[in-house]
Amino acid sequence: MTQISRSAYPPVPARLPGPGRASRVLRNVAIASCFPYLALKVAWIAGSPIGIPSGSSLLDEDKRALLIGVNAVTVLMDAAVIVLALVLTRTRGHRVPAPLLVFPMWVATGLLTPIMAGFPVQLTVGLFTGPEEKSTSNGDPFLDDWVYGIVYGGFILQGLTLGILFVRYARERWGHVWQGRMGDLPRDTCGRAARTAAVAGALLALVPITVHLMWAAGSTTGLPQQRIDERTNSFAALESLSAATATIAATGLLLLVFAPRAATFAPLPVKVPLAAAWAGSGAVGCWGAWMSFAGLIPQDDPAKQPPALMTLTYAVSMIAGFLLAHGVASFLKRRTP
């Protein structure tokens, strides 16, 4: 195994400078962008109907305890963005053990990236095809239109600001990790176990890729009846995006762990496939996990119950994403002195 000399990289200074003005601004924007979503969630937990039209299933008293639990979980998830923004802009943040920071950032990247890409895609599709109906429940609106803009707009701001802060932070602490080009990587960038996990993850990713492409092409196999009734042009675009994300994730990691010497890939900066594998594995794994969790919530209406194929697709996505993430972690560990 090729060892990396610690002398090849500059030592971490004993005293690190505090965040500059740009970092402080980004931190404040990240934190501020969380409050509209948090305020809505807290209001719904308290019983307020703000943003919820009459007839929505969110007002079903029989499901109130379940909805409070789900809203509480999402409050904690969004509050974690505030914690991450603070850690990334504090001097002491450079002394946080890597796993305690990297894993939450990977999860945040995975959950926010599809929204950052998907919401603009929906808006673009709407410009060309006209307005489309939002999610419905038994024919009634699920949420008021303004809620979508505030929530998704906040998520996009969180993703952008948190992403920039993390890149700035990682450049100071682990900048050597993505230096160089593919042609400079040793052939044993990862061990055999990591390469096996990468291949297994890529093969498993073929399942969600195939299913999402089927749904994008118009197939209704594996879709619940309610989803079939509510399909729009945006639905097809988002399914295509999901398939593309899984493809990019698998391709990026395979390039990293096998470090091909072909002239086509040799000039490619290491940071390109690393970013693709990082964000893509997070999107595939974390959204697969979230959708698998959502599928466990009991439904009174059989038309909303996810069929076996949908349940399987998201479960396989979760496993594939975590296998791909294992390959990314192995690569990063080998590159870290």
Side-chain angles (χ1 to χ4, degrees), residues 11 34 44 51 82 93 119 187 206 208 213 220 235 240-241 263 288-290:
C34 294
W44 292 343
I82 298 177
F119 192 54
R187 290 192 178 276
L206 293 175
L213 287 177
T220 59
F235 171 83
S240 298
L241 182 62
W290 179 252

Side-chain angles (χ1 to χ4, degrees), residues 240-259:
S240 298
L241 182 62
S242 296
T245 300
T247 303
I248 290 171
T251 302
L253 181 59
L254 291 175
L255 285 174
L256 287 178
V257 300
F258 288 103

Side-chain angles (χ1 to χ4, degrees), residues 3 8 20 75 154 166 176 196 202 261:
Q3 297 291 334
V75 164
F166 182 63
H176 58 276
T196 301
R261 291 296 188 276

Side-chain angles (χ1 to χ4, degrees), residues 95-176:
R95 295 177 174 83
V96 173
L100 294 182
L101 174 62
V102 172
F103 179 72
M105 271 305 310
W106 176 76
V107 173
T109 303
L111 292 176
L112 291 173
T113 298
I115 296 174
M116 295 168 61
F119 192 54
V121 166
Q122 286 182 296
L123 294 178
T124 302
V125 171
L127 289 176
F128 289 97
T129 63
E132 297 173 340
E133 294 182 0
K134 303 294 184 183
S135 298
T136 61
S137 175
N138 295 325
D140 296 309
F142 189 67
L143 289 169
D144 288 336
D145 287 347
W146 62 267
V147 174
Y148 293 94
I150 288 180
V151 169
Y152 290 136
F155 285 158
I156 290 173
L157 279 177
Q158 291 171 36
L160 289 173
T161 53
L162 203 61
I164 296 172
L165 286 174
F166 182 63
V167 169
R168 292 165 68 96
Y169 174 100
R171 184 185 296 122
E172 294 178 1
R173 185 171 178 180
W174 305 298
H176 58 276

Side-chain angles (χ1 to χ4, degrees), residues 174-198:
W174 305 298
H176 58 276
V177 168
W178 58 72
Q179 289 178 359
R181 299 185 179 277
M182 293 296 299
D184 302 325
L185 291 178
R187 290 192 178 276
D188 58 344
T189 55
C190 293
R192 180 178 298 177
R195 290 195 294 270
T196 301

Side-chain angles (χ1 to χ4, degrees), residues 226-273:
Q226 186 191 34
R227 188 72 66 87
I228 294 173
D229 295 339
E230 297 173 354
R231 282 186 308 162
T232 61
N233 293 318
S234 293
F235 171 83
L238 292 178
E239 292 301 318
S240 298
L241 182 62
S242 296
T245 300
T247 303
I248 290 171
T251 302
L253 181 59
L254 291 175
L255 285 174
L256 287 178
V257 300
F258 288 103
R261 291 296 188 276
T264 303
F265 301 109
L268 184 68
V270 171
K271 61 186 176 183
V272 174

